[in-house]
Amino acid sequence: MAESAKKVAQQTEERLEQVAENVRKRFAKLTEGRLGDTINEGRFADSVDHGVDQGRRESRDRRAR
């Protein structure tokens, strides 16, 4: 009986490892090419700076009124 329990436990562990690997692969596939990756690569560096400057300008315009 103990041997069959060990065998079942080993099979279960192997299946769980495979499930975990599949989840990691699917997560990587879902998140690849996302906006976060683009930002981390620095593709929007100028746009972000421009947006901050525009926000400051709009804030100054509101205070002047």
Side-chain angles (χ1 to χ4, degrees):
M1 180 88 176
E3 282 299 315
S4 67
K6 287 181 184 180
K7 185 177 180 180
V8 169
Q10 181 65 31
Q11 289 174 342
T12 303
E13 184 178 351
E14 290 170 2
R15 287 180 184 163
L16 286 174
E17 288 174 3
Q18 186 61 44
V19 168
E21 181 63 28
N22 288 340
V23 168
R24 282 191 287 273
K25 287 179 182 178
R26 287 182 183 182
F27 182 78
K29 184 178 178 180
L30 285 173
T31 59
E32 88 182 13
R34 298 290 178 143
L35 181 61
D37 295 337
T38 305
I39 290 171
N40 287 338
E41 291 171 1
R43 291 185 191 167
F44 292 119
D46 293 333
S47 298
V48 172
D49 292 341
H50 176 70
V52 170
D53 294 339
Q54 182 178 358
R56 289 181 183 152
R57 185 171 40 251
E58 289 173 0
S59 177
R60 278 189 241 128
D61 292 344
R62 286 185 202 136
R63 282 189 251 150
R65 293 180 188 171

